[in-house]
Amino acid sequence: MYAYDKFDRSLVDIRVAEFRDQVERRVKGDLTEEEFRPIRLMNGLYLQLHAYMLRVAVPYGTMSGDQMRRLAHIARKYDKGYGHFTTRQNIQFNWPKLSETPDILAELADVEMHAIQTSGNCIRNVTSDQFAGATADEIADPRPYAELLRQWSSFHPEFSFLPRKFKFAITGADQDRAAVKWHDIGLIVRKNDAGEIGFEVIVGGGMGRTPVIGKTIREFLPEKDFLSYQEAILRVYNEQGRRDNKYKARIKILVEAMGAEEFARQVEVEWEKIKDSHIDVPQEEVARIQAFFQPPELANQDATSAVTSEFAKKNFIFASWLQNNTNAHKVQGYVNITISLKPHGGIPGDASAEQMDLVAALSDEYSQSEIRVSHEQNLILPHVALKDLPAIWADLDEAGLGTANVGLLTDMIVCPGLDYCALANARSIPIAQAITKRFDDMKRLQDIGPIKVKMSGCINACGHHHAGHIGILGVDRKGQEMYQLLLGGSGAEDATKAAILGPGFDEHGIVDALEKVVAVYLGVREDGEEFLSTYRRIGAQVFKEAVYDAA
Amino acid sequence: MTLLSLTGIESGPWITLLDGELPSEGDSIAVPIARLLEEGVSAFATAGALGAAVPTGTSFAELEEVVRSLTFVAIEFSAFGDGRGFSLAVRLRKDMGFKGEIRAVGPVMPDQAQFLLRSGFDSVEITDESRVGAFRVSLERFNEFYQTDYMGARSIAHARHGISQ
Ligand code: SF4
């Protein structure tokens, strides 16, 4: 894991002092609310429906056990005892007091964390594959590059006031778990024929009211030009991105308007001007950062574990957990485990202080004190020995964290919706809870198989409904909360936009409709065919008839 | 109104020319860029020093047409969140090699002082004098930076390895 040196430390410390000063000036009236707004946003502080909300960065989703313990402490001391993990691999606290936020930031700085640029019209926290550095299907660990991006984009003098927020995602694996094609800039680590590392650069993806899948503008960007090329993209965007309408201000609109080819051409022109101007860091610095991400030394293990197999034979839930919540590790006898934050009936992505403490303790004992957050709002313990799984699962299960549903229907991405969010049209949490109640049977879930349900409480699409195999979108119809059903989206390497199936439903109707869609799938699927493949094979019509004719 | 130098170098006073107005001989004048492009630089040959008043929406290409005749540029922010102003300064310095004074005019915030300096601004026109102190504090806030600035000055990444440029 990356560790701060005196430079990193000094920057976050000064930032805390600066924010303390800004809060004081705001309280005294020296700063107007209008001026304070971008300042607090750049420190992750939102004004929500009921209170302030503080969003803390978990850079590229990697943190230590100590950091998790600090988050638990903050949840206890400054909040109501819980936190909410988001699709940006961040954590949000929903109830901090404005006057206490500088103290919270100081507590975070103490464990090398911050809330810098987790909001505002600037370059946001870079997201990545939650299994980075630990997965079997990886070309290279993308996190050193994510860290380079983090440093380059922090307090960038030219790009701190962009037309709109700007999100990077990077992956080093063939299987895209970071939804890179849905980001302002998506990066995929590639190797060329000479075995050198470089990046495929994808721009102009995004959700929101105008969903767009990003376009590749460069197949292979050499590692040494990594940052200068990003800067060239930002140059074009900062000059020409629209500032007259916030719904048209994201880079996706510019790329669509210009055409990806013309956009790429302009980027190349800018890049020629700046590529040799020391934007990229010296090679020594890349090596220094990479050294923090060396794979851990793991003791030799057998490829199988008798303890684990035996336990799985006796316990169906554990067997499901083993199947759904683990992912192949680079090293034989090890796995990465995903801790589901989607207990049936719970609030997706929420974790209590006690649960955070437990995960921290488990990480110390079993996963090299490493924890990850996924954009699907779950927690990961990487590098876990297969033989330790029964013990870990037992501890998790006792704390309400043993749900075996990762990748299954109830492992939904769900935005906070009208229960918290000032922009929401409809509640999303109660719908998610109703769905988990309807699909509470593990055998049934297992039979339905891998399926991604994603739900947003309004058109801003924080719940990624456009990328859901099944998407649910909350809308306001004459003061009534209604829900639209979308099918066929994907956030993976085969990214597609989900399409609206037909008229919306009320809060009960949407759950019925979802169930009908699943029933159609179960009826027509071929052997081993997953939901998305079936949908792609047979199209929307059959689903439409089933959902609307019976209604 | 107070003029604050960001670089420590004394900045020159100048008059911003209003529409239709003609400069008195020898005056230092800032001419709105649209007028400069329309009437041509030669129309202002009698000025002591010629500058341009450049709204943030000005394209870099337009600025490039006249930059060689200018001794200073006033970049006019429409709002503090209009980040194009920073890019204009960077382009002037880095791409066009502009050496004259660049001044920020309009509603910039004290908290942006270091961004302004590091993008290439020399001075800022502060309308609310009670904020001069806050500008000064903000200007001293950070002493090391992750990025090289517009001049390619040493970044933290270089400092870590004892590399200077
Ligand atoms: S999708 Fe809408 S309701 Fe949900 S968090 Fe985003 S803005 Fe709020």
mmCIF file of all heavy atoms in Angstrom, chain A residues 291-318:
data_model
loop_
_atom_site.group_PDB
_atom_site.id
_atom_site.type_symbol
_atom_site.label_atom_id
_atom_site.label_comp_id
_atom_site.label_asym_id
_atom_site.label_seq_id
_atom_site.Cartn_x
_atom_site.Cartn_y
_atom_site.Cartn_z
ATOM 1 N N ALA A 291 6.950 0.422 -5.909
ATOM 2 C CA ALA A 291 7.499 -0.401 -4.827
ATOM 3 C C ALA A 291 6.499 -0.595 -3.686
ATOM 4 O O ALA A 291 6.532 -1.597 -2.982
ATOM 5 C CB ALA A 291 8.793 0.233 -4.297
ATOM 6 N N PHE A 292 5.604 0.366 -3.526
ATOM 7 C CA PHE A 292 4.595 0.235 -2.469
ATOM 8 C C PHE A 292 3.560 -0.838 -2.793
ATOM 9 O O PHE A 292 2.814 -1.261 -1.930
ATOM 10 C CB PHE A 292 3.840 1.560 -2.286
ATOM 11 C CG PHE A 292 4.646 2.636 -1.623
ATOM 12 C CD1 PHE A 292 5.079 3.733 -2.341
ATOM 13 C CD2 PHE A 292 4.965 2.542 -0.279
ATOM 14 C CE1 PHE A 292 5.808 4.738 -1.729
ATOM 15 C CE2 PHE A 292 5.696 3.539 0.346
ATOM 16 C CZ PHE A 292 6.125 4.641 -0.387
ATOM 17 N N PHE A 293 3.483 -1.212 -4.047
ATOM 18 C CA PHE A 293 2.422 -2.124 -4.466
ATOM 19 C C PHE A 293 2.956 -3.500 -4.849
ATOM 20 O O PHE A 293 2.336 -4.221 -5.617
ATOM 21 C CB PHE A 293 1.628 -1.497 -5.622
ATOM 22 C CG PHE A 293 0.902 -0.242 -5.216
ATOM 23 C CD1 PHE A 293 1.469 1.010 -5.430
ATOM 24 C CD2 PHE A 293 -0.326 -0.314 -4.575
ATOM 25 C CE1 PHE A 293 0.815 2.171 -5.037
ATOM 26 C CE2 PHE A 293 -0.988 0.841 -4.176
ATOM 27 C CZ PHE A 293 -0.418 2.086 -4.412
ATOM 28 N N GLN A 294 4.142 -3.827 -4.337
ATOM 29 C CA GLN A 294 4.666 -5.164 -4.597
ATOM 30 C C GLN A 294 3.732 -6.197 -3.979
ATOM 31 O O GLN A 294 3.190 -5.979 -2.898
ATOM 32 C CB GLN A 294 6.072 -5.302 -3.987
ATOM 33 C CG GLN A 294 7.136 -4.511 -4.733
ATOM 34 C CD GLN A 294 7.091 -4.759 -6.233
ATOM 35 O OE1 GLN A 294 7.169 -5.889 -6.679
ATOM 36 N NE2 GLN A 294 6.924 -3.687 -7.013
ATOM 37 N N PRO A 295 3.525 -7.304 -4.670
ATOM 38 C CA PRO A 295 2.640 -8.327 -4.096
ATOM 39 C C PRO A 295 3.188 -8.801 -2.754
ATOM 40 O O PRO A 295 4.402 -8.891 -2.583
ATOM 41 C CB PRO A 295 2.702 -9.464 -5.127
ATOM 42 C CG PRO A 295 3.360 -8.909 -6.341
ATOM 43 C CD PRO A 295 4.115 -7.695 -5.949
ATOM 44 N N PRO A 296 2.310 -9.072 -1.802
ATOM 45 C CA PRO A 296 2.782 -9.518 -0.488
ATOM 46 C C PRO A 296 3.395 -10.912 -0.589
ATOM 47 O O PRO A 296 3.070 -11.671 -1.490
ATOM 48 C CB PRO A 296 1.496 -9.555 0.342
ATOM 49 C CG PRO A 296 0.404 -9.724 -0.648
ATOM 50 C CD PRO A 296 0.850 -9.025 -1.896
ATOM 51 N N GLU A 297 4.297 -11.203 0.328
ATOM 52 C CA GLU A 297 4.861 -12.556 0.361
ATOM 53 C C GLU A 297 3.881 -13.463 1.069
ATOM 54 O O GLU A 297 3.544 -13.252 2.224
ATOM 55 C CB GLU A 297 6.194 -12.530 1.103
ATOM 56 C CG GLU A 297 7.179 -11.643 0.385
ATOM 57 C CD GLU A 297 8.620 -12.083 0.606
ATOM 58 O OE1 GLU A 297 8.829 -13.114 1.294
ATOM 59 O OE2 GLU A 297 9.501 -11.393 0.092
ATOM 60 N N LEU A 298 3.424 -14.455 0.359
ATOM 61 C CA LEU A 298 2.417 -15.340 0.929
ATOM 62 C C LEU A 298 3.015 -16.727 1.112
ATOM 63 O O LEU A 298 3.727 -17.226 0.235
ATOM 64 C CB LEU A 298 1.201 -15.405 -0.006
ATOM 65 C CG LEU A 298 0.494 -14.066 -0.260
ATOM 66 C CD1 LEU A 298 -0.556 -14.200 -1.354
ATOM 67 C CD2 LEU A 298 -0.143 -13.534 1.011
ATOM 68 N N ALA A 299 2.725 -17.328 2.269
ATOM 69 C CA ALA A 299 3.233 -18.672 2.547
ATOM 70 C C ALA A 299 2.656 -19.669 1.541
ATOM 71 O O ALA A 299 1.554 -19.478 1.038
ATOM 72 C CB ALA A 299 2.845 -19.073 3.966
ATOM 73 N N ASN A 300 3.397 -20.705 1.233
ATOM 74 C CA ASN A 300 2.912 -21.739 0.310
ATOM 75 C C ASN A 300 1.677 -22.425 0.873
ATOM 76 O O ASN A 300 1.624 -22.746 2.051
ATOM 77 C CB ASN A 300 3.995 -22.797 0.080
ATOM 78 C CG ASN A 300 5.036 -22.288 -0.899
ATOM 79 O OD1 ASN A 300 4.778 -21.341 -1.651
ATOM 80 N ND2 ASN A 300 6.210 -22.888 -0.872
ATOM 81 N N GLN A 301 0.707 -22.609 0.013
ATOM 82 C CA GLN A 301 -0.522 -23.298 0.427
ATOM 83 C C GLN A 301 -0.872 -24.322 -0.634
ATOM 84 O O GLN A 301 -0.544 -24.147 -1.812
ATOM 85 C CB GLN A 301 -1.697 -22.312 0.536
ATOM 86 C CG GLN A 301 -1.519 -21.185 1.522
ATOM 87 C CD GLN A 301 -1.671 -21.635 2.967
ATOM 88 O OE1 GLN A 301 -2.034 -22.780 3.249
ATOM 89 N NE2 GLN A 301 -1.354 -20.733 3.883
ATOM 90 N N ASP A 302 -1.603 -25.353 -0.217
ATOM 91 C CA ASP A 302 -2.129 -26.295 -1.204
ATOM 92 C C ASP A 302 -3.218 -25.602 -2.014
ATOM 93 O O ASP A 302 -3.861 -24.671 -1.533
ATOM 94 C CB ASP A 302 -2.729 -27.526 -0.505
ATOM 95 C CG ASP A 302 -1.635 -28.332 0.184
ATOM 96 O OD1 ASP A 302 -0.461 -28.205 -0.239
ATOM 97 O OD2 ASP A 302 -1.959 -29.044 1.148
ATOM 98 N N ALA A 303 -3.433 -26.128 -3.203
ATOM 99 C CA ALA A 303 -4.434 -25.522 -4.076
ATOM 100 C C ALA A 303 -5.852 -25.721 -3.542
ATOM 101 O O ALA A 303 -6.759 -24.953 -3.836
ATOM 102 C CB ALA A 303 -4.314 -26.099 -5.480
ATOM 103 N N THR A 304 -6.033 -26.750 -2.752
ATOM 104 C CA THR A 304 -7.360 -26.974 -2.161
ATOM 105 C C THR A 304 -7.221 -27.064 -0.648
ATOM 106 O O THR A 304 -6.119 -27.275 -0.134
ATOM 107 C CB THR A 304 -7.979 -28.296 -2.662
ATOM 108 O OG1 THR A 304 -7.045 -29.347 -2.373
ATOM 109 C CG2 THR A 304 -8.265 -28.245 -4.152
ATOM 110 N N SER A 305 -8.328 -26.875 0.042
ATOM 111 C CA SER A 305 -8.291 -26.975 1.497
ATOM 112 C C SER A 305 -9.379 -27.920 1.962
ATOM 113 O O SER A 305 -10.565 -27.703 1.694
ATOM 114 C CB SER A 305 -8.491 -25.590 2.118
ATOM 115 O OG SER A 305 -9.000 -25.723 3.421
ATOM 116 N N ALA A 306 -8.968 -28.958 2.654
ATOM 117 C CA ALA A 306 -9.927 -29.961 3.133
ATOM 118 C C ALA A 306 -10.897 -29.345 4.133
ATOM 119 O O ALA A 306 -12.106 -29.591 4.076
ATOM 120 C CB ALA A 306 -9.183 -31.133 3.760
ATOM 121 N N VAL A 307 -10.388 -28.502 5.031
ATOM 122 C CA VAL A 307 -11.251 -27.874 6.054
ATOM 123 C C VAL A 307 -12.382 -27.118 5.375
ATOM 124 O O VAL A 307 -13.554 -27.219 5.747
ATOM 125 C CB VAL A 307 -10.456 -26.821 6.883
ATOM 126 C CG1 VAL A 307 -11.116 -26.560 8.211
ATOM 127 C CG2 VAL A 307 -8.992 -27.160 6.995
ATOM 128 N N THR A 308 -11.990 -26.352 4.374
ATOM 129 C CA THR A 308 -12.961 -25.506 3.697
ATOM 130 C C THR A 308 -13.972 -26.353 2.914
ATOM 131 O O THR A 308 -15.180 -26.113 2.998
ATOM 132 C CB THR A 308 -12.227 -24.513 2.776
ATOM 133 O OG1 THR A 308 -11.386 -23.700 3.615
ATOM 134 C CG2 THR A 308 -13.183 -23.627 2.017
ATOM 135 N N SER A 309 -13.503 -27.344 2.185
ATOM 136 C CA SER A 309 -14.428 -28.185 1.410
ATOM 137 C C SER A 309 -15.382 -28.936 2.327
ATOM 138 O O SER A 309 -16.575 -29.059 2.029
ATOM 139 C CB SER A 309 -13.676 -29.204 0.552
ATOM 140 O OG SER A 309 -12.529 -28.640 0.018
ATOM 141 N N GLU A 310 -14.842 -29.432 3.427
ATOM 142 C CA GLU A 310 -15.689 -30.172 4.366
ATOM 143 C C GLU A 310 -16.798 -29.288 4.915
ATOM 144 O O GLU A 310 -17.968 -29.664 4.965
ATOM 145 C CB GLU A 310 -14.842 -30.721 5.537
ATOM 146 C CG GLU A 310 -14.066 -31.980 5.206
ATOM 147 C CD GLU A 310 -14.946 -33.049 4.552
ATOM 148 O OE1 GLU A 310 -16.010 -33.364 5.125
ATOM 149 O OE2 GLU A 310 -14.591 -33.545 3.451
ATOM 150 N N PHE A 311 -16.416 -28.082 5.304
ATOM 151 C CA PHE A 311 -17.393 -27.162 5.887
ATOM 152 C C PHE A 311 -18.466 -26.795 4.862
ATOM 153 O O PHE A 311 -19.649 -26.680 5.187
ATOM 154 C CB PHE A 311 -16.674 -25.910 6.418
ATOM 155 C CG PHE A 311 -17.569 -25.002 7.222
ATOM 156 C CD1 PHE A 311 -18.280 -25.477 8.317
ATOM 157 C CD2 PHE A 311 -17.701 -23.652 6.887
ATOM 158 C CE1 PHE A 311 -19.111 -24.646 9.060
ATOM 159 C CE2 PHE A 311 -18.531 -22.807 7.619
ATOM 160 C CZ PHE A 311 -19.240 -23.313 8.706
ATOM 161 N N ALA A 312 -18.034 -26.644 3.635
ATOM 162 C CA ALA A 312 -18.974 -26.277 2.576
ATOM 163 C C ALA A 312 -20.001 -27.384 2.352
ATOM 164 O O ALA A 312 -21.158 -27.117 2.024
ATOM 165 C CB ALA A 312 -18.217 -25.982 1.287
ATOM 166 N N LYS A 313 -19.574 -28.623 2.537
ATOM 167 C CA LYS A 313 -20.504 -29.736 2.354
ATOM 168 C C LYS A 313 -21.614 -29.707 3.399
ATOM 169 O O LYS A 313 -22.736 -30.112 3.149
ATOM 170 C CB LYS A 313 -19.750 -31.063 2.452
ATOM 171 C CG LYS A 313 -19.151 -31.479 1.112
ATOM 172 C CD LYS A 313 -18.469 -32.846 1.229
ATOM 173 C CE LYS A 313 -17.326 -32.916 0.221
ATOM 174 N NZ LYS A 313 -16.213 -33.745 0.697
ATOM 175 N N LYS A 314 -21.269 -29.213 4.583
ATOM 176 C CA LYS A 314 -22.238 -29.224 5.677
ATOM 177 C C LYS A 314 -23.126 -27.980 5.701
ATOM 178 O O LYS A 314 -24.183 -27.976 6.311
ATOM 179 C CB LYS A 314 -21.490 -29.307 7.024
ATOM 180 C CG LYS A 314 -20.924 -30.686 7.305
ATOM 181 C CD LYS A 314 -20.261 -30.726 8.678
ATOM 182 C CE LYS A 314 -19.048 -29.814 8.699
ATOM 183 N NZ LYS A 314 -18.113 -29.955 9.785
ATOM 184 N N ASN A 315 -22.625 -26.890 5.105
ATOM 185 C CA ASN A 315 -23.315 -25.616 5.271
ATOM 186 C C ASN A 315 -23.603 -24.983 3.907
ATOM 187 O O ASN A 315 -22.705 -24.505 3.223
ATOM 188 C CB ASN A 315 -22.441 -24.690 6.130
ATOM 189 C CG ASN A 315 -23.166 -23.398 6.484
ATOM 190 O OD1 ASN A 315 -23.835 -22.799 5.647
ATOM 191 N ND2 ASN A 315 -23.039 -22.981 7.739
ATOM 192 N N PHE A 316 -24.868 -24.981 3.548
ATOM 193 C CA PHE A 316 -25.236 -24.494 2.212
ATOM 194 C C PHE A 316 -24.904 -23.014 2.012
ATOM 195 O O PHE A 316 -24.428 -22.606 0.948
ATOM 196 C CB PHE A 316 -26.729 -24.733 1.958
ATOM 197 C CG PHE A 316 -27.218 -24.074 0.704
ATOM 198 C CD1 PHE A 316 -26.846 -24.578 -0.548
ATOM 199 C CD2 PHE A 316 -28.012 -22.932 0.759
ATOM 200 C CE1 PHE A 316 -27.273 -23.958 -1.718
ATOM 201 C CE2 PHE A 316 -28.438 -22.308 -0.418
ATOM 202 C CZ PHE A 316 -28.069 -22.825 -1.648
ATOM 203 N N ILE A 317 -25.147 -22.207 3.038
ATOM 204 C CA ILE A 317 -24.873 -20.766 2.901
ATOM 205 C C ILE A 317 -23.373 -20.544 2.699
ATOM 206 O O ILE A 317 -22.946 -19.769 1.833
ATOM 207 C CB ILE A 317 -25.371 -19.980 4.139
ATOM 208 C CG1 ILE A 317 -26.881 -20.146 4.315
ATOM 209 C CG2 ILE A 317 -25.016 -18.493 4.011
ATOM 210 C CD1 ILE A 317 -27.735 -19.486 3.258
ATOM 211 N N PHE A 318 -22.579 -21.264 3.489
ATOM 212 C CA PHE A 318 -21.131 -21.119 3.313
ATOM 213 C C PHE A 318 -20.705 -21.579 1.918
ATOM 214 O O PHE A 318 -19.874 -20.944 1.266
ATOM 215 C CB PHE A 318 -20.372 -21.914 4.386
ATOM 216 C CG PHE A 318 -18.881 -21.850 4.191
ATOM 217 C CD1 PHE A 318 -18.167 -20.688 4.475
ATOM 218 C CD2 PHE A 318 -18.176 -22.952 3.674
ATOM 219 C CE1 PHE A 318 -16.794 -20.620 4.268
ATOM 220 C CE2 PHE A 318 -16.801 -22.884 3.457
ATOM 221 C CZ PHE A 318 -16.114 -21.717 3.761
#
